[in-house]
Amino acid sequence: MHASIEPISGREYFSAQTTQADVTHRINLRYVAGVKPKMRVKYGSRIFDILSVSNVDERNRELQLMCRESID
């Protein structure tokens, strides 16, 4: 499945902090039913905890995930 992973810039991080204190990345992907917060995304050896899921324009075509990268 193709997806884009974008680090949140300093300005976006500050804005996101009001709702999601630990958001570090935004992941955009094709719509997949059943994706929920508390799930995880694995990209190579990296793990991202999903904090929120947005169905872009409510059209069931694209999801935008606000995530925190897990660092062990």
Side-chain angles (χ1 to χ4, degrees):
M1 176 181 305
H2 295 285
S4 68
I5 299 175
E6 307 166 25
I8 301 293
S9 73
R11 183 180 199 171
E12 289 171 307
Y13 182 81
F14 184 74
S15 283
Q17 216 169 0
T18 59
T19 56
Q20 302 292 339
D22 296 324
V23 170
T24 61
H25 289 77
R26 178 186 310 117
I27 300 175
N28 294 305
L29 66 146
R30 183 175 42 91
Y31 179 81
V32 177
V35 176
K36 297 180 177 132
K38 308 273 179 171
M39 290 180 157
R40 299 172 125 192
V41 173
K42 184 174 181 185
Y43 177 69
S45 63
R46 298 168 71 183
I47 302 289
F48 297 90
D49 298 317
I50 301 173
L51 302 175
S52 70
V53 179
S54 176
N55 182 355
V56 177
D57 297 330
E58 298 296 322
R59 297 182 69 196
N60 294 346
R61 290 186 170 188
E62 180 183 0
L63 292 178
Q64 185 174 80
L65 312 177
M66 301 306 281
C67 301
R68 172 184 53 230
E69 186 169 8
S70 294
I71 300 173
D72 292 331

